[in-house]
Amino acid sequence: MKITNSEELFSRAQRSIPGGVNSPVRAFKSVGGTPLFIKKAKGAYLYDADDNRYIDYINSWGPMIMGHAFEPVVEAIQKKAADSTSFGAPTELEIEMAELIKSMAPNVDLIRMVSSGTEACMSAIRLARGYTGRNKIIKFEGCYHGHADSFLVKAGSGVATFNIQTVPGVTAGVAADTLTAPYNDIEAVEQLIAEYKNQIAAIIIEPVAGNMGCILPAENFLEQLRKICTKEDIIFIFDEVMTGFRLAPGGAQERLKIDADLVTYGKVIGAGMPVGAFGGKLDIMKQIAPLGNVYQAGTLSGNPIAMIAGYILLSHLNSNISVYKELDEKGDYLRKGLFNVFDKANIPVAINQIGSMLSVHFINKPVNNFADSSAANIALFNKFFHAMLDEGVYLPPSAFESWFMSNALSYADLDNTISAAENAIKSIK
Ligand SMILES: *Cc1c(COP(=O)(O)O)cnc(C)c1O
């Protein structure tokens, strides 16, 4: 495969952009090699600067649930842009977006739009602290809630990929207010609650973790957390930046039938535009300025181009809920197909999957938390990643990231992915 244009772009990029990228995982540092510079994408396919075509399993880390350049979204953006790209004043479209989200997602009485998932989670935590008057939060090892200071403690995603233990620049004071427990370990949470009685403002969790690979909540885990939060007056925050509008119209709350107090969104909600949101129960959301004194603001929040993109995509999903069933079936099909390939080749593997989220871990035991995910054969994953790229399949460049499927994937694409895996395994053995 020829990637000379990407190679040239990468060396040029490094002279003006830190590491040549605007978000660390893109640099391919953990898997090695040159990151591919992308020229365009359509449907299930990405095209790089050398015109190579790849089946895409990143989908912009989630937003492209209907595939790239989804026509209704592209047309709406083009039309909207002619009316100016920002006002800094309220618009009717923001009401329509909020009403649509309320109609789709459980437990959202009020919702505030922001411009990224990081902003959504950061604001939700401030709100939980403001509402409860408590300082500490509990998060789970390997969960990623964006790059705000409070969350960069035992974080997933790039922090895990690059094995960064403590992030310079995060003060000890801030880090001390972030308590952590292993994912799926209810006893660890109970211990923290006992130790820090009446000091914990919130428990924040990815209801299905997607930033240490894809890890499903153990049976009853979320139910038990819900009970603890209710009993201890702790705000239960679902970070649905990945799962929102992806696992069901109402996200993980709907799919797993658990009520959160606050929910954060990102990724799918903006159809690829920079959008996030946080919302939840009236009593809590009432504390946000200008209703209350918990201050939160954004010059470009509710931006018309971002709103129309998200609104058109969410409306489409809401009126075509068969998409979710189709994605579930495709996810199952891919998991089974890949499993057969590794099984036949005698390669120990755990493949975690729910709906259109999936991850492959080269390990001979189930993967239920960050320690399990870290114990897998990362070197083999990195080889597999490159062999798949050579076969024209673009996976997330890290063993600690979930794969995201779009409904633009055909069964022929899935079959091609499975046979690519077969070839990839042969080439690296
Ligand atoms: C991506 C992600 C974030 C951060 O969102 P950004 O838009 O990258 O700031 C937060 N939480 C989860 C679960 C995510 O996957």
Side-chain angles (χ1 to χ4, degrees):
M1 196 171 62
K2 180 178 128 346
I3 56 160
T4 49
N5 289 343
S6 279
E7 282 163 355
E8 270 170 37
L9 289 169
F10 188 47
S11 49
R12 184 175 142 208
Q14 289 172 84
R15 292 196 289 274
S16 56
I17 302 170
V21 293
N22 280 314
S23 196
V25 176
R26 294 179 199 168
F28 277 26
K29 230 174 130 179
S30 65
V31 290
T34 306
L36 300 172
F37 280 66
I38 304 303
K39 200 148 79 175
K40 61 175 186 183
K42 178 71 192 164
Y45 308 116
L46 280 178
Y47 299 86
D48 71 11
D50 294 272
D51 295 319
N52 299 304
R53 192 191 87 166
Y54 307 89
I55 304 176
D56 186 14
Y57 286 96
I58 300 185
N59 282 294
S60 186
W61 304 98
M64 302 306 177
I65 191 167
M66 294 305 299
H68 288 279
F70 184 52
E71 264 140 42
V73 170
V74 173
E75 276 166 28
I77 290 174
Q78 285 169 337
K79 197 153 155 268
K80 201 77 188 164
D83 294 335
S84 181
T85 51
S86 183
F87 313 113
T91 59
E92 185 176 357
L93 179 55
E94 291 163 85
I95 311 172
E96 284 169 356
M97 183 69 162
E99 287 172 350
L100 177 62
I101 295 167
K102 279 184 62 166
S103 76
M104 292 174 77
N107 300 306
V108 174
D109 298 325
L110 292 176
I111 180 129
R112 171 65 58 85
M113 304 306 303
V114 294
S115 302
S116 70
T118 294
E119 237 189 297
C121 295
M122 179 186 95
S123 308
I125 286 293
R126 180 182 305 140
L127 176 55
R129 286 175 166 150
Y131 179 80
T132 58
R134 302 171 179 177
N135 288 343
K136 296 205 183 295
I137 61 167
I138 296 178
K139 76 174 279 291
F140 295 90
E141 290 168 16
C143 280
Y144 182 69
H145 306 293
H147 69 92
D149 288 359
S150 302
F151 303 125
L152 293 178
V153 180
K154 297 196 177 161
S157 189
V159 185
T161 301
F162 299 127
N163 194 19
I164 299 172
Q165 297 299 327
T166 50
V167 177
V170 174
T171 66
V174 169
D177 279 335
T178 302
L179 310 172
T180 62
Y183 200 82
N184 283 328
D185 187 342
I186 198 72
E187 272 117 60
V189 175
E190 281 164 348
Q191 272 173 22
L192 289 174
I193 303 278
E195 195 177 339
Y196 296 94
K197 194 86 186 152
N198 297 329
Q199 294 177 55
I200 295 164
I203 295 180
I204 185 167
I205 190 165
E206 291 179 64
V208 170
N211 285 290
M212 44 178 156
C214 173
I215 292 185
L216 277 61
E219 205 176 326
N220 268 326
F221 180 58
L222 296 173
E223 284 84 347
Q224 285 169 302
L225 289 178
R226 173 67 271 178
K227 273 197 201 130
I228 289 173
C229 287
T230 304
K231 181 162 166 273
E232 303 288 334
D233 293 320
I234 293 169
I235 309 292
F236 196 25
I237 305 175
F238 263 24
D239 178 351
E240 295 230 38
V241 171
M242 268 182 186
T243 53
F245 313 103
R246 174 166 283 281
L247 293 185
Q253 282 197 95
E254 176 186 337
R255 183 150 184 156
L256 307 175
K257 300 189 179 65
I258 309 280
D259 292 324
D261 299 316
L262 290 178
V263 197
T264 61
Y265 296 110
K267 300 189 171 119
V268 175
I269 202 174
M273 296 295 290
V275 184
F278 64 102
K281 294 180 179 164
L282 181 63
D283 200 38
I284 310 170
M285 288 299 290
K286 261 189 343 205
Q287 305 304 319
I288 281 285
L291 288 179
N293 288 338
V294 178
Y295 197 73
Q296 186 281 326
T299 302
L300 297 178
S301 297
N303 172 275
I305 309 302
M307 289 303 98
I308 198 68
Y311 180 79
I312 295 292
L313 180 60
L314 297 193
S315 306
H316 179 86
L317 294 170
N318 197 30
S319 48
N320 294 276
I321 51 169
S322 60
V323 164
Y324 293 98
K325 193 165 162 274
E326 288 163 28
L327 279 169
D328 281 3
E329 286 165 3
K330 288 174 187 179
D332 289 344
Y333 186 86
L334 183 63
R335 185 196 69 244
K336 286 177 192 153
L338 289 173
F339 186 81
N340 285 338
V341 168
F342 299 122
D343 196 40
K344 257 197 270 165
N346 280 318
I347 295 174
V349 73
I351 305 182
N352 291 352
Q353 178 250 337
I354 175 170
S356 54
M357 292 171 68
L358 177 148
S359 61
V360 169
H361 307 262
F362 295 115
I363 192 168
N364 57 3
K365 59 170 190 172
V367 172
N368 296 320
N369 58 31
F370 183 61
D372 296 339
S373 173
S374 306
N377 187 340
I378 308 291
L380 182 58
F381 178 88
N382 294 346
K383 279 192 202 159
F384 179 66
F385 166 82
H386 279 290
M388 288 297 272
L389 259 195
D390 288 339
E391 294 286 328
V393 179
Y394 194 85
L395 305 177
S398 164
F400 295 99
E401 302 283 359
S402 175
W403 307 10
F404 295 103
M405 298 171 70
S406 81
N407 210 32
L409 285 164
S410 66
Y411 279 89
D413 294 324
L414 299 177
D415 285 335
N416 286 338
T417 306
I418 294 161
S419 48
E422 209 163 354
N423 295 340
I425 288 302
K426 275 184 207 140
S427 76
I428 61 183
K429 253 199 149 173

